[in-house]
Amino acid sequence: MNNCQSNKIKCPEIGCDTVTRGDNLRRHLKNVHKYTEDQVILFNKTLKSMKRIENSGNVWNCPKENCSTSCSKYSGILSHLSRMHKDEQGVLKKKLEQDKSVHGKLEFVVQILKEDQEKEEKSTLNCVFDNCCKKSANREKLCEHLRNDHNMNQRFQVENEKFDSKAVFDVWLNKRKESTCTTFVSCGTATDNNITTQYFKCSYEGSYDSIATKNRKKKSRKQTGEKCCSAFMRVVKNPDESYSIIACFDHEGHDKLDWAKQKYTDAQISVIKKLIDEKQTNEQIIAKLRREYPDSNRLHYVLNEDIRVIRERFDLFDGRCDKNDLTSIQKLKEEHPEYGIRLLRLPFNSTGQGFILVMILPEQEEALKKLSWRVVVLDETHNITRYDLKLTTMLVMDENDRGVPVGFMLSNCSSTEELRFFFREVKRIFPEFCPEVFMTDEAGAFWNAYVYEFPQNRFITLKLWCRWHVIRALGKRAQETLKAEHVYYVMQLLNLIMRTPSEYTLKSELNKLYSHLQTLDYENARSFAKYFKKRYEKNKKLWCTVYRDNSPVQTSMMAESWNSKIKRERLKNKLQIRVDNLTYNLRDTCLDMMIQRKVEIARDIARANLRSCEQRKLHQLAVKLQLEFEIEETSEESSVFLIEKKNQTVFVVTYENRCICDTKKNSHCENCGVCWSNVTCTCTDQVSGRNCIHCHIAVLFRPSIFRTEKANPDVDDIVPANSETNNEEESELNLELDLENDDEYGEQNENMKGAGDHDIENSDDNGDSENVIDMEDGEDTDDEENEKYRDIAMANITSIKNAYNCIETQLRSLSRNSTSKCAKISSDIAQVFEKIARELVGDKAFKSPGLITRANLGSANSQPLTANAVMNFTMQKKSKNIRKRKHPQDEDENHRQESQICCCICDQKEAPSSSSGESSSELNMQCSVCPFRAHEVCTRNLRYNICSICEKGSYFNLF
């Protein structure tokens, strides 16, 4: 109790009898007597001095007059009073108590205060100027010294502010920091009865010497050393959540402030966070901040590293659910079904071996079911994450012939076993998955995995290689093995082999390639020939144009374009991408692309159908160049000869009638209506999705032959065929009836008319003459009924045509793989049509057209012939007509016969006489490429002995 009483202090103010402890007394002085901070500090110093007085020697003097006794302790003087001045002990003790309070200003107290002041000045702040030795007790005194003693009245102003809330205080502080380029660091915190005081100093204050040895040593911004900067801030947080601020934002004692090296304020960090939340990339954020903020703002100097640190600090990475990548991707699968993660198999080890992730978005399921019947393209890419993983993408074509991704697989290996997981998930979503065309690069794992999971589609789906991958692989091999001067010509031949639309020309170009490689007398050329024959000639049906008739794609560029979009445009070629971030970007890019295309279609933007744009450009070019060509009829109604006047090059343009495009979503030419699947040409400029200029010119010359109106039903009404067919021998069933010419039809009609008249005459002979009279009387009534029946018949004819076109389209799809089942179906349909034709024209007048086979063309093979072979045969037969045009004086009809009688050079049966008088009618010279023959005399005048028909081969003697 006595100890507690001895710790209490009396209030120093006169007339106030409050006695309490030190902390309470300070609060009492502030609240009751309105002491300022300086007065409270002075009271604390005096109180400390009093405590020293209690513990120091020879400082307590006896209050009795004429008594010079002194004691070192207060208890000692009390003992002295009780012993020596017992009678006056009470009075003297009261006087001693009055001397003990700080109210009495004793000389020895003043002396101790002076000593404390000197000691405090020795241990506090030095002036920032070198020629000034003045020391200050605190930073406020330092600012006062700089204003008064160094004539800087306009600077070093101390601000006293009060704020009702932290939000208002933060707004004020951020503005002051940004305007003065000030960064504070905390240098202490004190708490007293729910009052918290924080002390801050300038971040440039002090010194630092880097200990870096390997990295570059940067100059430290702490340059004041033992001196201190004048900038400071003292923040007092009161119990009522209000704030009192004492601060100075003027700097002195270090180099000029650098905006680029300042710390971000809370407001600046909020600006960056807002841009991150808007899904802007780091590059976009940096560009926007540098445009909007001047170089006197810290945001002008933002870098990628700053944004990355802010992302990590506030967990703002897209798709990240956990700091651990595997844990994060597991949470994505379990908690976020919108990401469409169908399968997740974690790796066996740290290298990522065994990792498989199959991702098919819910939005992609509809496209997979609706669009996969036409074509499927698969491709893989690497270097897309920080791990050794490959991304496999499956794409289909939409109604506007643009690629649409419908599935992704991320795996450590792209073998058949891993890819089977991918197709297994596709099978669960769409068991009827059966594309007509399956295009990949030369890797066989894609096809093997596909036929493992869909064995019934093995002979239905057409397997193709991407032409771009093939020509790139051949070019790389040619550069490695052949000499530099031979590579260009070899690549030209390879391009012709790849693009030629004729099987006959393909064999010729292959022979030319092997002949050329044989003439190159070095081992590498022969090894290249062996490599090409073993690898590519054996699989020519996978990459040559002649074997991919009516395929909607020739390359897998849609997949390459998608990979480029993800890696370059979306990920900006970054390699340190996490798996969860990649899945987010894949989903986000797919959804953005779908929305973008819907908007383009809704606004009727030209790029919504790129192939239609190409068709329009080619049509404009065809209009300019049409006068450089002339057209000539053929014996077939559905094809014409297009002859270039300049070099007499002949192209055969044929109408196929196999368009199944949607009337509203197609790549038909907007001007002439030509469709790339309906009209074909024998040139090497054919590209899927658009016609060459020869097709456009032919349609301009003969629009009646190339019917461009759509007679087929919509695509949705035609279901892809699912029957098994053989993929080894491609064929095309020609189900078009070989209709007779108009004269024959006229004769048949006359015969039918005559037969009808004969029947009427017989009825008259039988005495049924009244019917004849009635018919004459009711002639107008019969005409009306005939007109009615005629309208019904015309409507039925239109329905029959539509049904026939639909049947033909499906049979052409089936006939791509010529199997016994396809032949049986076509045979049954042919019998039905034959029965209808016999009932229509009669047995005697009917002439069965049959199928165009190789036997009809003089070949031992009687299989159905493809459309390209038919065109080649027609071209060979009609080439004599072209020769006839070159020699108009000759009108011999023998040129139109199938067997050659006349020389293909002079167009004469008898050879002209030579200078020696020799003459022979034998056609003993034949071209090494085409089957045409010539007189030996005629070939002597040819330059380089080059064939005048094909301009490729050379003549040799048959006998």
Side-chain angles (χ1 to χ4, degrees), residues 400 604-625 666-676 689-693 695-697 700:
N400 294 316
D604 196 18
I605 303 298
R607 62 174 175 268
N609 193 335
L610 299 178
R611 288 185 170 181
S612 180
C613 296
E614 294 293 332
Q615 287 277 50
R616 183 168 60 253
K617 294 177 182 179
L618 289 169
H619 179 85
Q620 295 173 357
L621 182 61
V623 172
K624 295 179 181 179
L625 301 178
N666 54 49
S667 57
H668 291 195
C669 178
E670 299 174 356
N671 300 299
C672 62
V674 63
C675 175
W676 66 272
R690 58 182 182 268
N691 300 89
C692 62
I693 60 171
C695 297
H696 288 270
I697 293 174
L700 291 175

Side-chain angles (χ1 to χ4, degrees), residues 857-948:
L857 306 182
S859 173
N861 190 355
S862 60
Q863 296 178 355
L865 199 64
T866 61
N868 288 324
V870 175
M871 292 195 315
N872 295 332
F873 175 70
T874 307
M875 179 178 174
Q876 295 173 14
K877 290 203 309 179
K878 299 308 176 182
S879 60
K880 302 184 184 64
N881 296 339
I882 303 171
R883 296 300 305 165
K884 179 181 177 182
R885 187 185 58 79
K886 293 182 179 181
H887 303 278
Q889 68 276 9
D890 191 355
E891 299 293 339
D892 192 358
E893 291 296 327
N894 291 332
H895 290 285
R896 297 184 179 271
Q897 298 179 3
E898 181 175 350
S899 60
Q900 183 177 352
I901 299 177
C902 301
C903 175
C904 64
I905 299 178
C906 65
D907 286 338
Q908 299 293 332
K909 191 173 184 180
E910 296 292 337
S913 300
S914 62
S915 58
S916 59
E918 298 178 356
S919 178
S920 175
S921 61
E922 293 184 357
L923 301 175
N924 54 353
M925 303 297 291
Q926 182 176 344
C927 176
S928 60
V929 177
C930 64
F932 297 106
R933 301 181 183 182
H935 298 125
E936 184 177 359
V937 177
C938 298
T939 59
R940 294 174 183 173
N941 299 325
L942 294 176
R943 188 177 184 183
Y944 303 121
N945 196 27
I946 300 300
C947 176
S948 59

Side-chain angles (χ1 to χ4, degrees), residues 5 67 70 77 87 103 187 192 282 306 373 695 698 878 946 953:
Q5 187 69 24
C67 182
S70 61
I77 199 65
D87 298 336
H103 179 70
C187 60
D192 182 19
N282 291 3
D306 303 334
W373 68 271
C695 297
K878 299 308 176 182
I946 300 300

Side-chain angles (χ1 to χ4, degrees), residues 406-627:
V406 293
F408 309 101
M409 186 184 80
L410 200 63
S411 60
N412 177 259
C413 179
S414 296
S415 64
T416 302
E417 294 299 324
E418 276 73 15
L419 289 168
R420 286 184 63 184
F421 288 100
F422 186 25
F423 285 103
R424 197 171 298 163
E425 297 301 322
V426 172
K427 190 174 183 178
R428 290 176 183 174
I429 297 174
F430 188 37
E432 297 81 12
F433 180 74
C434 181
E436 291 186 356
V437 177
F438 188 92
M439 175 167 285
T440 64
D441 54 14
E442 298 179 41
F446 297 107
W447 175 260
N448 295 337
Y450 168 66
V451 297
Y452 264 119
E453 298 301 325
F454 298 93
Q456 71 277 9
N457 300 344
R458 183 183 186 90
F459 303 112
I460 300 176
T461 303
L462 178 62
K463 175 187 175 184
L464 294 178
W465 284 352
C466 169
R467 293 198 315 191
W468 180 80
H469 284 92
V470 171
I471 203 67
R472 186 183 66 167
L474 288 171
K476 184 178 180 180
R477 187 60 176 257
Q479 291 177 354
E480 293 175 354
T481 56
L482 302 178
K483 295 181 180 179
E485 58 270 19
H486 301 148
V487 173
Y488 179 75
Y489 182 70
V490 170
M491 293 307 299
Q492 279 187 324
L493 292 177
L494 292 173
N495 271 288
L496 286 175
I497 292 171
M498 175 179 290
R499 293 181 174 273
T500 179
S502 168
E503 189 172 4
Y504 179 81
T505 312
L506 174 64
K507 295 179 180 178
S508 174
E509 295 296 337
L510 286 172
N511 292 333
K512 185 183 294 187
L513 173 66
Y514 290 133
S515 300
H516 176 72
L517 292 175
Q518 191 173 2
T519 58
L520 303 178
D521 192 13
Y522 56 92
E523 184 63 28
N524 287 341
R526 288 188 289 272
S527 66
F528 180 82
K530 293 179 181 179
Y531 166 76
F532 177 80
K533 187 170 184 179
K534 180 181 179 180
R535 173 68 177 168
Y536 292 98
E537 185 182 2
K538 178 182 178 181
N539 301 309
K540 59 185 178 182
K541 292 184 180 181
L542 302 179
W543 57 278
C544 290
T545 302
V546 65
Y547 298 109
R548 51 174 65 183
D549 187 31
N550 204 31
S551 173
V553 289
Q554 300 291 346
T555 65
S556 60
M557 285 297 102
M558 65 173 68
E560 298 295 334
S561 177
W562 167 260
N563 293 336
S564 176
K565 186 179 185 66
I566 286 292
K567 298 173 69 173
R568 292 173 176 82
E569 297 181 17
R570 192 75 181 189
L571 301 179
K572 305 299 181 183
N573 292 327
K574 297 177 182 177
L575 300 180
Q576 298 299 319
I577 300 296
R578 288 167 45 120
V579 175
D580 51 7
N581 191 18
L582 175 63
T583 56
Y584 170 83
N585 282 281
L586 289 174
R587 176 179 179 270
D588 202 41
T589 307
C590 282
L591 298 181
D592 289 347
M593 186 179 68
M594 291 178 181
I595 297 173
Q596 175 72 13
R597 291 186 177 179
K598 288 181 180 179
V599 172
E600 291 176 356
I601 294 173
R603 294 188 56 188
D604 196 18
I605 303 298
R607 62 174 175 268
N609 193 335
L610 299 178
R611 288 185 170 181
S612 180
C613 296
E614 294 293 332
Q615 287 277 50
R616 183 168 60 253
K617 294 177 182 179
L618 289 169
H619 179 85
Q620 295 173 357
L621 182 61
V623 172
K624 295 179 181 179
L625 301 178
Q626 61 179 330
L627 297 180

Side-chain angles (χ1 to χ4, degrees), residues 642-663:
L642 195 66
I643 306 158
E644 190 174 358
K645 296 179 181 179
K646 184 177 180 180
N647 52 15
Q648 297 301 315
T649 306
V650 181
F651 305 99
V652 181
V653 183
T654 306
Y655 176 72
E656 298 287 347
N657 190 25
R658 56 188 177 186
C659 172
I660 57 173
C661 302
D662 193 332
T663 54

Side-chain angles (χ1 to χ4, degrees), residues 15-192:
C16 182
D17 297 329
T18 303
V19 178
T20 182
R21 295 189 179 188
D23 294 337
N24 296 334
L25 182 61
R26 294 187 192 94
R27 193 178 302 107
H28 166 76
L29 293 175
K30 290 181 180 179
N31 298 334
V32 177
H33 302 290
K34 305 300 180 184
Y35 269 38
T36 63
E37 291 290 333
D38 294 336
Q39 291 174 328
V40 173
I41 292 173
L42 179 60
F43 171 77
N44 290 334
K45 293 178 180 179
T46 306
L47 189 62
K48 291 178 181 179
S49 300
M50 294 299 299
K51 291 181 179 180
R52 289 187 58 194
I53 291 173
E54 292 181 355
N55 299 322
S56 60
N58 301 323
V59 293
W60 288 100
N61 297 320
C62 180
K64 178 69 176 176
E65 294 181 359
N66 302 323
C67 182
S68 59
T69 303
S70 61
C71 298
S72 60
K73 292 184 179 180
Y74 181 73
S75 59
I77 199 65
L78 290 178
S79 177
H80 166 72
L81 291 177
S82 62
R83 288 184 289 104
M84 303 301 297
H85 308 288
K86 188 175 182 180
D87 298 336
E88 302 177 7
Q89 181 179 359
V91 177
L92 295 176
K93 189 175 182 179
K94 288 183 179 178
K95 188 176 180 181
L96 188 64
E97 289 288 339
Q98 184 178 4
D99 293 338
K100 182 180 177 181
S101 67
V102 296
H103 179 70
K105 301 293 178 71
L106 302 177
E107 291 182 359
F108 62 90
V109 173
V110 175
Q111 181 65 29
I112 292 175
L113 289 177
K114 289 182 179 179
E115 293 176 0
D116 291 341
Q117 184 72 19
E118 292 176 359
K119 185 176 180 180
E120 184 178 2
E121 289 179 357
K122 291 180 181 179
S123 61
T124 52
L125 309 176
N126 297 323
C127 180
V128 296
F129 293 102
D130 295 335
N131 55 355
C132 181
C133 300
K134 178 69 176 179
K135 297 182 180 181
S136 303
N138 52 46
R139 297 179 188 273
E140 294 178 57
K141 297 293 183 180
L142 177 63
C143 292
E144 182 180 356
H145 162 69
L146 293 175
R147 287 195 308 270
N148 299 332
D149 298 343
H150 293 279
N151 297 324
M152 295 182 179
N153 296 328
Q154 302 300 325
R155 297 180 59 193
F156 308 109
Q157 298 295 327
V158 177
E159 303 179 19
N160 288 280
E161 301 288 344
K162 290 186 177 181
F163 303 97
D164 296 333
S165 63
K166 188 177 186 304
V168 180
F169 164 63
D170 290 339
V171 172
W172 173 84
L173 182 60
N174 288 327
K175 289 182 179 180
R176 295 295 292 143
K177 285 183 177 180
E178 293 178 10
S179 61
T180 60
C181 189
T182 300
T183 302
F184 288 123
V185 294
S186 178
C187 60
T189 303
T191 303
D192 182 19

